[in-house]
Amino acid sequence: MTTNSHKAAGPTHKSVEAGVAVAIALFGVIVIVGSLKAGINWGAEGPRAGFFPFYIGLLIVVSSIINLWHGLHDNGRGLFAEWGQLRQVLSVVVPTTIYVGAMPFTGLYLASMIFIGWFMRWLGKYSWPMVAGVALGMPIVTYFIFERWFLVPLPKGPIEEWLGL
């Protein structure tokens, strides 16, 4: 294997399209199963809670099967992305997913401080004083703008409760 062929390695369009189609079809199946539990028939008051979502789930599954078929039978595409490019995308997607997943447990403010600080230092290579200033300052500004001035409550965690915010 040459260096150029190794650099150009990565998933093909066909495999990515198949993976996305299967993932979306699984989502449709989850919608269908939830709809069946809620009831898809017609009740005395009209359609039951699962009636409309059931047909949407069915449409999602059928559409995904069509997309899967077209994706597997399209031979004109090559590489979707190189592994290095996908690593760059994942370097943003993974921390963002962790941020969103941590928010119900830590609250918006603590999660945002860590998230902003991580990105500034890791991806931006900013100095520690700049990281500390922005990572602490943004959640404080957000708190005053939304919670105090607009009276919009944002998700809080144990630290905000401890501080009485």
Side-chain angles (χ1 to χ4, degrees), residues 90-119 122 134-135 138-140 142-143 146 154-157 160:
L90 290 176
S91 72
V92 174
V93 171
V94 170
T96 303
T97 303
I98 293 169
Y99 167 67
V100 171
M103 203 178 303
F105 305 103
T106 64
L108 175 78
Y109 303 111
L110 178 61
S112 294
M113 282 183 212
I114 295 168
F115 184 69
I116 291 168
W118 172 263
F119 269 101
W122 186 52
V134 175
M138 276 307 299
I140 291 170
T142 302
Y143 172 78
F146 287 98
L154 297 175
K156 300 203 181 38
E160 292 90 357

Side-chain angles (χ1 to χ4, degrees), residues 16 29 48 63 79 89 112 117 119 124 149 152:
V16 171
V29 169
R48 307 242 347 245
S63 298
L79 193 65
V89 170
S112 294
F119 269 101
W149 296 338
V152 176

Side-chain angles (χ1 to χ4, degrees), residues 51-71:
F51 182 82
F52 182 70
F54 173 78
Y55 289 104
I56 295 299
L58 210 57
L59 183 65
I60 290 171
V61 170
V62 169
S63 298
S64 295
I65 291 169
I66 292 169
N67 285 338
L68 179 62
W69 188 84
H70 283 290

